[in-house]
Amino acid sequence: MAETNALPTGFGELEVLAVGMVLLVEALSGLSLNTLTIFSFCKTPELRTPCHLLVLSLALADSGISLNALIAATSSLLRRWPYGSDGCQAHGFQGFVTALASICSSAAIAWGRYHHYCTRGQLAWNSAISLVLFVWLSSTFWAALPLLGWGHYDYEPLGTCCTLDYSKGDRNFTSFLFTMSFFNFAMPLFITITSYSLMEQKLGKSGHLQVPALVAKMVPTINAINYALGNEMVCRGIWQCLSPQKSKKHQAK
């Protein structure tokens, strides 16, 4: 289905269009919310803190995921993949980089919150910048490996987007999948659960538990709501960005 208008085997036209519409809604909502978060960070001085830099990293990663979904939505609505084999590899790589960066940024945020609430120490800029650089360099490294022969990017069953080829069961792919999963799924999950558990124990005893529940953080829209719109300071910054006249009056006072 990569270069033709033929429907993929086992899928009807309505099913392909339905998938395209769902992806389009998810992509646009994720892009809108996360772009607003990024814009508010750039425009609101109060948000330019080391802790919010980690949230910015997550918003950038989730914007990339939404952009990837937008390309997949367009292809689904066209009922074909119009970008060729090289485009498939680029699409798979970009989607995998941003997905891994989103997972690792979520773990970094969890650790940053633990550091802030439990050690009573402010996260330093050097630490925050180092974390963000590590997240993106590590994600790029693991996403590049399939391009170099360890693992493989290919079309998904619908044929309108590309990701890791999970249908391969050979030793090459299995070794890549287990190694990658340990460093990019198991370890971030361990860090996230441990950080929030320690916060719950410490803040729960002191009666100042204000930590949001641990939820699925891979969905860009959920991330934007959980980390950005659920943060009072970020919401204030977004409101100031959307109300420039009011913001100017506030600054004048």
Side-chain angles (χ1 to χ4, degrees):
M1 185 187 174
E3 299 291 347
T4 68
N5 291 319
L7 292 173
T9 304
F11 294 92
E13 184 171 355
L14 288 179
E15 292 174 305
V16 177
L17 291 177
V19 170
M21 290 304 298
V22 171
L23 286 173
L24 184 62
V25 171
E26 291 179 348
L28 293 178
S29 61
L31 273 175
S32 300
L33 291 173
N34 285 289
T35 300
L36 194 57
T37 302
I38 296 169
F39 182 72
S40 66
F41 181 90
C42 296
K43 291 293 184 179
T44 309
E46 293 84 356
L47 295 181
R48 296 172 198 158
T49 66
C51 286
H52 286 120
L53 180 65
L54 303 180
V55 177
L56 176 66
S57 175
L58 180 64
L60 288 170
D62 286 341
S63 295
I65 295 176
S66 297
L67 181 61
N68 191 272
L70 184 61
I71 295 173
T74 303
S75 300
S76 296
L77 295 175
L78 291 174
R79 299 186 302 169
R80 65 187 180 90
W81 178 259
Y83 308 109
S85 179
D86 291 340
C88 177
Q89 297 299 304
H91 186 252
F93 171 76
Q94 186 269 344
F96 202 36
V97 167
T98 51
L100 294 180
S102 177
I103 295 171
C104 294
S105 292
S106 297
I109 290 172
W111 179 85
R113 288 182 170 180
Y114 162 78
H115 183 273
H116 176 75
Y117 288 109
C118 297
T119 66
R120 298 182 179 180
Q122 294 293 329
L123 184 65
W125 274 108
N126 289 341
S127 299
I129 293 174
S130 297
L131 272 175
V132 171
L133 287 176
F134 175 79
V135 163
W136 284 96
L137 289 176
S138 174
S139 300
T140 302
F141 168 77
W142 286 101
L145 291 178
L147 298 177
L148 302 176
W150 197 22
H152 181 64
Y153 293 120
D154 205 351
Y155 300 101
E156 289 189 347
L158 198 61
T160 56
C161 58
C162 299
T163 185
L164 282 176
D165 186 2
Y166 294 97
S167 66
K168 290 183 178 295
D170 56 12
R171 183 176 299 178
N172 175 282
F173 179 76
T174 302
S175 62
F176 170 74
L177 181 63
F178 278 95
T179 306
M180 180 274 300
S181 297
F182 174 77
F183 287 103
N184 296 282
F185 292 97
M187 288 186 65
L189 181 62
F190 174 78
I191 292 172
T192 301
I193 293 177
T194 301
S195 297
Y196 282 121
S197 297
L198 292 174
M199 277 194 293
E200 182 178 7
Q201 293 176 9
K202 185 174 182 64
L203 301 182
K205 291 179 181 179
S206 63
H208 297 289
L209 182 59
Q210 301 177 357
V211 181
L214 180 62
V215 297
K217 297 177 177 63
M218 292 181 63
V219 181
T221 303
I222 293 178
N223 277 338
I225 294 173
N226 185 38
Y227 288 117
L229 300 184
N231 185 298
E232 181 180 355
M233 185 174 293
V234 176
C235 285
R236 193 182 305 123
I238 291 175
W239 177 248
Q240 289 179 4
C241 291
L242 295 178
S243 307
Q245 293 181 350
K246 183 175 181 180
S247 178
K248 290 179 180 178
K249 292 179 180 179
H250 179 73
Q251 291 178 0
K253 293 179 180 179

